[in-house]
Amino acid sequence: MRTHVVDHPLVAHKLTTLRDARTDSPTFRRLADELVTLLAYEATRDVRTELVDIATPVTATTGVRLSHPRPLVVPIIRAGLGMLDGMVRLLPTAEVGFLGMIRDEATLEASTYANRMPEDLSGRQVYVLDPMLATGGTLVAAVGELMRRGADDVTVICLLAAPEGVERLEAALAGAPVTVVTGALDEGLNEQGFIVPGLGDAGDRMYGTVG
């Protein structure tokens, strides 16, 4: 597994505002959207392409286009939905699948409650969207499900990651073709499993507390 922390001043600037407890939900959603597009630029550096012949207004030439099968973008519901627009803005021809996962606050383990993806992901590049790589339980389960369906190239895009989550992914997915792209690798987790310094609960910060 490869972990790539995007070291860019615009990423650091937007993350600082996202971390600020005073940032309201509309601003949080907008900045998360902008930040995902920056992270997606790095995450898609190895997106598969094919050569194509075209004619410009001046002459014939050869360019590139995204190859088939098209990439699949999978946001983890609910907080991952706030990252979807920023991702498909960069990959408008990608298909979109959905995984609904919930974490048990006592055990910190994740379980799936919704699944809308192709049964066969053989040969597909898959981009998983989840704002926080904290304990790693959700993403271990999500990537495991993708690989059971045949995915052979998975990139996880997170706003923030904790070392504990990265280590758990590496241990659970040893040798798997997985890349993690994140805006920052934070200090660690607190007793409640939240990233420190982190930015709180990303879903609540994006959409408010429901129920």
Side-chain angles (χ1 to χ4, degrees):
M1 193 185 89
R2 184 171 67 94
T3 301
H4 176 48
V5 180
V6 179
D7 182 16
H8 193 286
L10 287 179
V11 170
H13 167 74
K14 294 179 190 301
L15 266 179
T16 297
T17 307
L18 286 174
R19 292 183 191 276
D20 193 331
R22 297 170 296 179
T23 299
D24 59 21
S25 288
T27 304
F28 192 98
R29 288 195 298 269
R30 176 178 58 80
L31 287 172
D33 177 81
E34 294 172 359
L35 180 54
V36 170
T37 300
L38 292 174
L39 298 179
Y41 181 81
E42 291 294 328
T44 56
R45 190 172 291 277
D46 296 322
V47 69
R48 294 169 187 163
T49 60
E50 61 188 14
L51 297 178
V52 58
D53 295 326
I54 63 169
T56 77
V58 179
T59 187
T61 189
T62 300
V64 298
R65 66 183 175 193
L66 297 186
S67 59
H68 284 77
R70 289 182 291 176
L72 180 70
V73 177
V74 180
I76 305 297
I77 301 171
R78 80 179 156 137
L81 291 175
M83 302 172 67
L84 182 59
D85 286 349
M87 186 69 190
V88 297
R89 185 178 300 115
L90 203 65
L91 277 180
T93 61
E95 295 181 345
V96 179
F98 297 92
L99 265 178
M101 309 198 77
I102 189 167
R103 186 177 77 161
D104 187 303
E105 296 303 327
T107 65
L108 303 183
E109 295 299 319
S111 58
T112 302
Y113 67 86
N115 190 326
R116 184 71 174 175
M117 293 189 300
E119 285 299 324
D120 185 6
L121 295 176
S122 301
R124 301 287 292 268
Q125 284 183 294
V126 183
Y127 297 90
V128 180
L129 309 179
D130 197 10
M132 316 293 282
L133 172 49
T135 64
T138 297
L139 285 171
V140 166
V143 174
E145 177 63 27
L146 295 170
M147 291 189 167
R148 281 191 291 274
R149 293 171 183 247
D152 63 359
D153 188 337
V154 178
T155 300
V156 175
I157 302 176
C158 302
L159 305 182
L160 290 178
E164 295 92 331
V166 172
E167 290 169 7
R168 182 170 180 181
L169 273 184
E170 289 176 338
L173 306 171
V178 177
T179 299
V180 174
V181 177
T182 183
L185 187 62
D186 274 11
E187 296 172 12
L189 301 176
N190 64 15
E191 293 179 354
Q192 289 74 43
F194 281 96
I195 298 176
V196 178
L199 48 75
D201 185 300
D204 288 351
R205 303 266 332 255
M206 284 182 185
Y207 303 117
T209 304
V210 179

